[in-house]
Amino acid sequence: MRMFKVTACVPSQTRIRTQRELQNTYFTKLVPYDNWFREQQRIMKMGGKIVKVELATGKPGMNTGLL
């Protein structure tokens, strides 16, 4: 199965002591080739930035951080 290994950075707002702090969250996940465009739109809509995209083979739902 053709997959993309996507590393992205999305901002997440967390409340710390009555002030708002902007904090970036980095994540890496395997995205099926057919769902790539939908995933790209989702990341961009959240105000995120795609850092790296690689072609990969593997099973969906696999944790790519532990390879």
Side-chain angles (χ1 to χ4, degrees), residues 5-64:
K5 183 177 169 184
V6 181
T7 303
C9 171
V10 288
S12 64
Q13 287 188 343
T14 55
R15 187 179 288 271
I16 300 171
R17 291 192 198 154
T18 69
Q19 69 183 22
R20 286 203 168 269
E21 183 177 303
L22 197 64
Q23 183 174 323
N24 289 332
T25 305
Y26 283 86
F27 65 89
T28 301
K29 67 190 279 190
L30 282 176
V31 180
Y33 188 82
D34 301 332
N35 296 345
W36 162 242
F37 186 71
R38 188 182 305 136
E39 184 67 25
Q40 184 184 12
Q41 294 296 312
R42 188 183 71 82
I43 292 169
M44 295 305 202
K45 236 178 240 181
M46 290 168 67
K49 183 177 179 185
I50 295 170
V51 179
K52 184 168 64 171
V53 179
E54 299 175 47
L55 263 173
T57 55
K59 298 179 190 127
M62 191 171 112
N63 186 346
T64 56

